[in-house]
Structures are given as C-alpha cells and as structure tokens.
C-alpha cells in the first residue's frame, strides 16, 4: 500500500499477453504494442469512425471478464458499426496516473472522446499515493506509511490493536479520518480532471463515469459528490442509482463472489448503462 516505488509505465512490461489467475478464473488475453488489452491487429480509421478511449482501473481493463468481454469491448459490440472503443484501463491506476499517461503516451492514439471511469477505490488509493507529487522521473514514490506497517504485515497482535483498539481500517485511518480523506480526494481528482479538460477539452469530448462496486458496500456512496466539483461541460455518467440498484439486487449473478470483479454478464450490463447515457439508446 504505502512506500511503493513502481515504474511510471508499469503496464509496458506486459508483452504479447496478459494473464489473469484467481481462485475463480484463469485465462490470458492478447495485448497491443502498448501493453493494453486490445486486439493488436486492429486498425483504427478515425475519419470514418467514432473512437472512444476508456481510461480506468481493473474494472475498465476487464479483470474477471474473458477476452472480448471487458466493458469497452462490449460497449463497442452493442453500439453502431462505426463506433470503436479503445481499452486503456490498467490495473491499479487512478486519474493522476491516467492523465499523466495520456499526455505521455495515449494522446497519440487516434480518438475523439475520452472516458474516465472512477470508482471508490480511487478515494482509498489517494491516501497511500497522493497526487502529482508521486511522480519522480521514470518512477513513482507513494506516501510513507506508519512506522508499524512492517510489523502489521506479520503480527496478528498488532492487527488486533490497530483495528480493535485504535479503530483504524486497512490503510490505518479511523472513520473520521477517512471522511476527511474522501473530501480531499474528491477535490484533488476533480482538479485533476478539470485541468485535463482545460488542456484537451477543445480537442476531444470528455466523459466521467462513476462506477459502483458490484458487491455490498454501505460506505461506498461518496463518489457522486464529485459531480458539482467538475466543469459543467464534462459529461458525467452516474451509475450509482440504476446500475447500483441492479447490482445490489443481483448479488453473485453479475460478479465473482470471491474476487469481487464483474463477470462477463456484469461487464455487459456495465457497458449497456454507459451506452444508454452516452448514445441516448
């Protein structure tokens, strides 16, 4: 969580294929020359096609969805033939990573519209990563954790003290501190995306999708509070109401019960809700 130093472009280490292995599923998919989960042989014709570039984390990349069943692929499959969806979702990413990678790498990909997909993990990760201050040349430096984090990894006694006596969660924050962090994270992400809009808004249409978790999470309701903080010309797709209700009423049918990511059917519904808002169908 804390104290990590991943390479800036860690997704480029994925050559030819990406392998997913969890207790409930095991499979691999092809990746393109950038290490992204797209058909490496596809050719984009931006003059004849409407091209969406999807930026997000593992739920956008499609962990738990088999090849061709990730959300961007299914979004493309259920829209008109002249619509193309590029999957630039990367496990573990957030808007600070995504906007940096876009400026450095992804803006060269032909596209007309950019879609940021946010979920509540972004609010948690802001605690351990911070904002643009994480970037150190070709590497990344996350925040320093509490002095007892190393001991916490190995001692059940320390964990009992942290969670039971101190009332801290898995990232060592109390409920009150989490509320403060959530507000800070929402403002920081809004500023990040608004700055992106100011820089690229005249060149591409920008959308922000607010994605609910597929499992019961009573405290994961704060993300829509980012809406009034975003530039009014950014199109927001808030899925917490309709899709969120469907997910809660279909526990286990649209997601993997242990892993927690969507399954093929869940990614299909995810794509359908996004299409309905963006395309009006």
């Amino acid at each position: 969580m804390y104290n990590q130093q991943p390479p800036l472009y860690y997704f480029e280490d994925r050559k030819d294929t990406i392998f997913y292995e969890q207790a409930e599923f095991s499979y691999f998919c092809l990746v393109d020359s950038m290490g992204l989960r797209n058909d490496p042989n596809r050719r984009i014709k931006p003059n004849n096609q409407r091209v969406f570039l999807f930026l997000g984390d593992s739920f956008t990349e499609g962990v738990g969805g088999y090849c061709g069943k990730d959300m961007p692929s299914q979004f493309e499959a259920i829209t008109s033939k002249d619509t193309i969806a590029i999957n630039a979702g990367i496990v573990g990413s957030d808007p600070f990573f995504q906007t940096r990678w876009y400026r450095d790498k992804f803006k060269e990909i032909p596209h007309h519209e950019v879609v940021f997909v946010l979920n509540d993990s972004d609010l948690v990760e802001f605690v351990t990563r911070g904002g643009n201050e994480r970037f150190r040349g070709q590497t990344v430096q996350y925040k320093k954790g509490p002095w007892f984090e190393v001991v916490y990894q190995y001692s059940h006694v320390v964990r009992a003290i942290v969670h039971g006596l101190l009332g801290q969660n898995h990232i060592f924050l109390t409920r009150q501190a989490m509320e403060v962090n959530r507000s800070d994270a929402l403002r920081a992400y809004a500023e990040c995306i608004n700055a992106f809009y100011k820089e690229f808004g005249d060149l591409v249409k920008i959308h922000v999708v607010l994605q609910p978790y597929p499992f019961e999470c009573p405290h994961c309701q704060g993300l829509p509070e980012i809406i009034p903080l975003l530039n009014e010309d950014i199109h927001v797709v808030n899925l917490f109401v309709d899709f969120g209700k469907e997910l809660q009423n279909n526990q286990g049918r649209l997601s993997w019960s242990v892993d927690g990511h969507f399954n093929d059917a869940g990614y299909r519904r995810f794509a359908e809700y996004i299409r309905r808002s963006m395309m009006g169908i």
Side-chain angles (χ1 to χ4, degrees):
M1 294 183 294
Y2 296 91
N3 301 313
Q4 296 185 43
Q5 291 181 306
L8 176 56
Y9 308 112
Y10 61 84
F11 56 92
E12 292 185 331
D13 292 336
R14 309 189 298 194
K15 305 297 183 183
D16 301 322
T17 58
I18 181 170
F19 186 60
Y20 302 99
E21 184 172 21
Q22 296 293 337
E24 298 164 290
F25 53 81
S26 177
Y27 63 97
F28 69 89
C29 294
L30 296 177
V31 297
D32 61 22
S33 60
M34 286 189 175
L36 304 176
R37 187 170 156 173
N38 297 293
D39 181 353
N41 298 313
R42 180 170 63 176
R43 296 293 178 265
I44 298 172
K45 302 176 182 179
N47 292 334
N48 302 317
Q49 298 168 323
R50 182 180 180 183
V51 185
F52 292 82
L53 178 68
F54 284 85
L55 303 172
D57 62 7
S58 56
F59 282 93
T60 302
E61 180 177 302
V63 173
Y66 291 99
C67 306
K69 299 299 183 181
D70 54 282
M71 178 272 290
S73 293
Q74 298 212 58
F75 175 86
E76 178 179 317
I78 60 178
T79 50
S80 59
K81 292 183 178 179
D82 62 349
T83 297
I84 297 294
I86 300 171
N87 188 343
I90 298 170
V91 170
S93 70
D94 61 30
F96 286 102
F97 272 127
Q98 293 150 17
T99 53
R100 174 63 184 267
W101 294 336
Y102 183 92
R103 293 181 176 95
D104 293 350
K105 303 278 185 178
F106 301 158
K107 70 179 181 181
E108 304 304 325
I109 302 173
H111 62 280
H112 308 103
E113 308 192 32
V114 174
V115 185
F116 289 94
V117 183
L118 277 62
N119 57 50
D120 282 278
S121 69
D122 295 309
L123 303 183
V124 174
E125 288 161 352
F126 183 75
V127 177
T128 60
R129 300 174 178 179
N132 285 319
E133 69 273 12
R134 76 183 68 169
F135 299 118
R136 308 287 177 85
Q138 296 300 302
T139 61
V140 177
Q141 176 62 61
Y142 290 171
K143 292 182 179 179
K144 291 184 179 180
W147 62 269
F148 54 81
E149 182 182 14
V150 175
V151 182
Y152 174 90
Q153 297 180 61
Y154 305 103
S155 173
H156 290 284
V157 174
V158 172
R159 295 179 190 178
I161 293 172
V162 169
H163 300 313
L165 185 61
L166 300 180
Q168 297 180 356
N169 60 14
H170 68 290
I171 54 174
F172 312 119
L173 293 182
T174 62
R175 182 182 296 274
Q176 183 179 11
M178 276 297 296
E179 287 297 314
V180 173
N181 171 77
R182 184 185 70 175
S183 298
D184 292 343
L186 289 169
R187 285 194 297 270
Y189 287 133
E191 290 173 2
C192 177
I193 295 172
N194 286 339
F196 182 89
Y197 172 81
K198 185 176 181 180
E199 184 175 355
F200 298 105
D202 290 336
L203 302 175
V204 294
K205 183 175 177 59
I206 299 172
H207 310 265
V208 172
V209 173
L210 306 180
Q211 172 229 316
Y213 275 143
F215 46 85
E216 186 68 40
C217 187
H219 305 298
C220 297
Q221 301 297 326
L223 192 57
E225 293 175 17
I226 198 174
I227 296 175
L229 304 177
L230 293 170
N231 186 291
E232 61 182 10
D233 291 325
I234 295 174
H235 176 229
V236 178
V237 180
N238 181 8
L239 300 183
F240 272 71
V241 180
D242 294 338
F243 190 32
K245 288 181 179 178
E246 181 175 346
L247 290 171
Q248 299 311 315
N249 292 332
N250 291 275
Q251 292 285 322
R253 188 180 71 83
L254 299 176
S255 62
W256 297 97
S257 58
V258 176
D259 173 78
H261 283 90
F262 294 125
N263 55 27
D264 292 357
Y267 282 118
R268 173 76 176 202
R269 295 299 289 151
F270 191 11
E272 289 174 344
Y273 275 102
I274 293 175
R275 180 197 63 170
R276 184 181 304 170
S277 178
M278 288 188 183
M279 317 293 280
I281 52 178

